[in-house]
């Protein structure tokens, strides 16, 4: 890596702060009221009642001055906006896909992909589910099958590429149902639900050759693939001297298309896209996007949003940006680990995941330990986090029972370029305080359960 950042052990940010947003501190009484009113669901707390917001890294990044300036360059023509062509050029250059269809965010692209490629009764293998991705696959009549390696389900395993596909699991599925019933494999970079864990290039190459033999396309969830590229450079033999940009391109060249939530890697507050190389799939996506999102040259976005996204791609592949991004996440993770707090290892790129099963071994999974812990962290210091466990996993459509996933986690997700090292210290101190009184924490009872993606709007009550 040929930059100044490479020669320092520290991870200082490659920017200075020009404008700040004031945040409010609350009293314990105010937080008790806020969490009660939110039904003990951190998604339902008003942001004005939050001190440090680690709910998500989605759409929460700070844009750069040049991105804000880019907003003023928005060409708000209904059709053929200049910003669309700028974005298309950037996607072609950095990701390498020929065709681009913008969408309002990632799930808009997932809807297009699922509706176009999945037939009733098809099977979609993937390296662990993501909530919206799997739901769109199911709504299109498909059945998701998890083919990630077993290590991904073990928070203690130090496997460097826990996002890898288990080729045997994949082959077993293909042998069982036939390649004709596998419309594509859904491959996610830096697997969110596994703790932000990357796949390796070697694994992707093996997957490519398998898929070529069986004529199965690989569709990438590119949401955090730039961060995945960083880990490949850091951990995989032969990549130490490559740039993140080169590795990103190599990943995409081994795949057939992607869905993208630009709200993560790409440093924007809204946006996404579907991209592919195949002409026919592109035509279908172009046709379908007008039903759900808007014309194929804006897909639910304003011209200015596409401009900010095109500029965001350039900033996201900068080595210094990724060094600081991943450095900050590690700083927090190391502090928690040193304090004995059980977290998912290795530390991923976008978040620290606390192992709520280990943190609260006395709370049964159907009493939602991760949800309870997230509520408790908010009560302690106004820190907002997210449950990624039994609530997020939802119910098995066949049995109607909670899925009780192996991973019962609380996600402390770091927005990009937003908080300082001192904020991380506050977070670490607060988690430690809760850890010291963990035995007093009880579970929750769900009193309202929405039909889809229940974690967003479910309501709970403390168990007495
Ligand atoms: C891996 C992954 N895929 C897809 C999505 C969905 O994207 P969006 O929230 O932009 O609809 C997300 C969002 O969190 C994600 O993390």
């Amino acid at each position: 890596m040929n930059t100044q950042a490479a020669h320092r052990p520290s991870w200082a940010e490659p920017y200075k702060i020009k404008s700040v947003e004031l945040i409010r501190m609350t009293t314990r009484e105010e937080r008790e009221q806020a969490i009660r009113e939110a039904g003990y669901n951190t998604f339902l707390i008003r942001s004005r009642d939050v001190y440090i917001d680690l709910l998500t890294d989605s759409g929460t990044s700070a844009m750069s001055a040049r991105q804000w300036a880019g907003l003023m360059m928005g060409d708000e023509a209904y059709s053929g906006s200049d910003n669309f062509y700028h974005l298309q050029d950037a996607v072609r250059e950095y990701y390498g896909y020929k065709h681009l269809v913008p969408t309002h965010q990632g799930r808009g692209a997932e809807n297009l992909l699922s509706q176009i490629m999945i037939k009733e009764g098809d099977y979609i293998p993937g390296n662990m589910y993501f909530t919206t991705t799997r739901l769109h696959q199911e709504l299109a009549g498909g059945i998701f099958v998890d083919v990630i390696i077993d290590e991904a389900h073990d928070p203690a395993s130090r496997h460097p590429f826990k996002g890898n596909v288990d080729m045997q699991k994949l082959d077993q599925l293909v042998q069982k149902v036939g390649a004709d019933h596998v419309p594509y494999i859904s491959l996610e970079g830096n697997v969110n639900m596994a703790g932000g864990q990357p796949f390796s290039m070697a694994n992707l190459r093996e997957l490519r050759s398998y898929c070529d033999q069986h004529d199965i396309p690989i569709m990438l969830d590119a949401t955090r693939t730039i961060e995945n590229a960083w880990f490949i450079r850091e951990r995989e033999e032969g990549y130490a001297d490559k740039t993140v940009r080169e590795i990103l391109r190599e990943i995409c060249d081994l795949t057939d298309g992607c869905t993208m939530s630009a709200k993560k890697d790409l440093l924007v507050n809204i946006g996404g896209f579907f991209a592919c190389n195949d002409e026919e799939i592109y035509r279908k996506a172009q046709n379908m996007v007008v039903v759900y999102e808007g014309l194929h040259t804006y897909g639910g976005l304003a011209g200015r949003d596409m401009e900010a996204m095109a500029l965001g791609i350039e900033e996201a592949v900068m080595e210094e940006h990724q060094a600081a991004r991943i450095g900050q996440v590690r700083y927090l993770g190391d502090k928690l680990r040193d304090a004995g707090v059980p977290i998912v290892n290795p530390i991923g790129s976008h978040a620290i995941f606390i192992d709520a099963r280990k943190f609260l071994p006395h709370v049964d999974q159907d009493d939602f330990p991760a949800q309870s812990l997230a509520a408790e962290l908010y009560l302690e210091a106004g820190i907002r986090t997210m449950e990624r466990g039994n609530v997020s996993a939802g119910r098995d459509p066949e049995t109607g029972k909670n899925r009780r996933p192996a991973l019962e986690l609380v996600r402390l997700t770091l927005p990009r370029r937003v908080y300082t090292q001192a904020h991380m210290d506050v977070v670490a101190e607060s988690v430690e305080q809760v850890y010291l009184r963990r035995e007093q924490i009880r579970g929750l009872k769900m009193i309202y359960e929405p039909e889809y993606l229940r974690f967003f709007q479910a309501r709970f009550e403390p168990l007495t």
Side-chain angles (χ1 to χ4, degrees):
M1 191 182 15
N2 188 21
T3 65
Q4 239 186 313
H7 306 293
R8 276 197 307 263
S10 62
W11 49 270
E13 295 85 350
Y15 53 82
K16 54 188 176 174
I17 298 165
K18 188 192 303 252
S19 172
V20 298
E21 180 181 343
L22 301 184
I23 44 181
R24 200 169 75 92
M25 298 205 195
T26 50
T27 61
R28 171 100 195 175
E29 289 69 35
E30 285 172 322
R31 294 196 293 279
E32 276 169 4
Q33 188 180 342
I35 195 79
R36 212 178 314 114
E37 285 175 7
Y40 294 83
N41 183 345
T42 52
F43 276 101
L44 302 179
I45 301 171
R46 290 180 63 155
S47 103
R48 68 185 302 277
D49 295 328
V50 174
Y51 174 41
I52 300 177
D53 204 345
L54 306 186
L55 184 70
T56 174
D57 63 334
S58 182
T60 51
S61 298
M63 290 208 296
S64 66
R66 61 196 274 283
Q67 284 177 294
W68 281 105
L71 294 187
M72 290 306 292
M73 302 301 286
D75 169 5
E76 306 306 345
Y78 188 88
S79 165
S81 157
D82 256 355
N83 314 114
F84 167 76
Y85 292 103
H86 183 192
L87 178 61
Q88 183 174 260
D89 288 346
V91 170
R92 284 181 177 159
E93 185 178 342
Y94 291 92
Y95 288 88
Y97 300 116
K98 271 195 242 163
H99 305 299
L100 168 76
V101 177
T103 57
H104 75 285
Q105 58 183 72
R107 68 199 72 183
E110 290 169 351
N111 178 38
L112 300 180
L113 171 68
S114 307
Q115 295 292 333
I116 291 166
M117 296 192 70
I118 299 172
K119 294 187 306 302
E120 188 71 36
D122 276 350
Y123 293 84
I124 305 93
N127 55 344
M128 202 172 268
Y129 82 101
F130 183 71
T131 52
T132 57
T133 321
R134 181 177 65 192
L135 180 60
H136 279 295
Q137 292 163 356
E138 289 173 353
L139 290 172
I143 301 153
F144 169 82
V145 182
D146 189 0
V147 294
I148 203 164
I149 56 171
D150 286 343
E151 286 86 342
H153 293 280
D154 174 5
S157 158
R158 301 257 174 172
H159 193 294
F161 292 106
K162 280 166 124 177
N164 278 354
V165 170
D166 183 325
M167 297 306 299
Q168 251 184 335
K169 286 188 195 167
L170 175 63
D171 188 48
Q172 269 164 13
L173 175 74
V174 173
Q175 296 304 329
K176 189 166 135 210
V177 304
D180 286 354
H181 293 288
V182 180
Y184 61 92
I185 169 152
S186 178
L187 180 75
E188 185 187 330
N190 264 22
V191 182
N192 191 351
M193 302 299 281
Q197 305 294 332
F199 57 72
S200 70
M201 196 70 85
N203 184 250
L204 175 55
R205 266 196 231 104
E206 202 185 343
L207 182 66
R208 176 78 268 169
S209 109
Y210 181 89
C211 287
D212 284 345
Q213 283 164 35
H214 294 84
D215 201 18
I216 299 171
I218 304 174
M219 303 309 282
L220 180 69
D221 180 338
T223 300
R224 296 185 186 81
T225 300
I226 301 179
E227 291 177 358
N228 196 125
W230 175 276
F231 285 127
I232 288 178
R233 206 252 311 284
E234 204 175 64
R235 297 178 188 168
E236 193 161 355
E237 216 185 306
Y239 286 89
D241 295 326
K242 296 217 166 159
T243 62
V244 164
R245 187 177 161 175
E246 286 165 338
I247 300 169
L248 172 69
R249 189 58 196 269
E250 192 174 331
I251 292 172
C252 296
D253 287 350
L254 288 164
T255 66
D256 298 283
C258 81
T259 54
M260 165 65 88
S261 169
K263 299 167 73 176
K264 284 82 168 176
D265 263 359
L266 302 189
L267 301 164
V268 288
N269 305 124
I270 193 71
F273 57 78
F274 172 71
C276 64
N277 293 324
D278 184 272
E279 202 70 33
E280 200 189 322
I281 294 174
Y282 169 55
R283 290 283 159 232
K284 286 186 183 165
Q286 227 187 8
N287 194 231
M288 190 169 281
V289 77
V290 296
V291 180
Y292 294 104
E293 308 273 327
L295 196 71
H296 59 277
T297 55
Y298 75 84
L301 296 171
R304 57 180 174 271
D305 300 326
M306 293 188 282
E307 188 61 25
M309 204 194 304
L311 295 168
I313 296 177
E314 290 169 12
E315 293 177 19
V317 296
M318 285 178 183
E319 307 291 330
E320 314 82 272
H321 164 67
Q322 291 300 341
R325 161 74 177 150
I326 286 162
Q328 188 178 46
V329 175
R330 271 189 197 150
Y331 175 80
L332 175 60
D334 286 343
K335 277 199 148 230
L336 291 176
R337 208 159 45 193
D338 291 349
V341 176
I343 62 170
V344 173
N345 288 301
I347 293 167
S349 66
H350 70 302
I352 301 302
F353 289 73
I354 298 177
D355 183 348
R357 274 173 191 271
K358 278 220 176 115
F359 200 110
L360 300 175
H362 54 285
V363 178
D364 184 82
Q365 204 171 4
D366 279 340
D367 296 335
F368 309 116
Q371 188 79 26
S372 311
L373 180 53
E376 209 57 43
L377 291 174
Y378 173 73
L379 279 170
E380 176 68 28
I383 295 165
R384 172 153 68 171
T385 59
M386 184 196 291
E387 188 265 9
R388 279 301 183 218
N390 208 9
V391 183
S392 294
R395 291 181 188 272
D396 184 311
E398 303 229 312
T399 65
K401 293 202 168 140
N402 287 325
R403 281 189 166 105
R404 295 177 68 98
L407 297 179
E408 179 73 25
L409 309 175
V410 174
R411 193 179 79 177
L412 283 64
T413 335
L414 270 58
R416 294 167 184 79
R417 311 195 287 204
V418 172
Y419 290 113
T420 64
Q421 190 162 341
H423 286 119
M424 296 304 108
D425 291 340
V426 173
V427 173
E429 284 157 20
S430 310
V431 175
E432 283 170 48
Q433 284 306 312
V434 176
Y435 192 54
L436 291 176
R437 58 178 173 79
R438 60 192 180 280
E439 277 156 25
Q440 296 156 21
I441 299 171
R442 300 275 155 270
L444 293 167
K445 182 169 110 193
M446 199 186 298
I447 53 168
Y448 167 64
E449 180 174 0
E451 188 179 352
Y452 298 121
L453 303 174
R454 63 183 186 177
F455 56 94
F456 281 130
Q457 289 148 344
R459 299 184 73 83
F460 302 82
E461 246 171 33
L463 285 175
T464 43

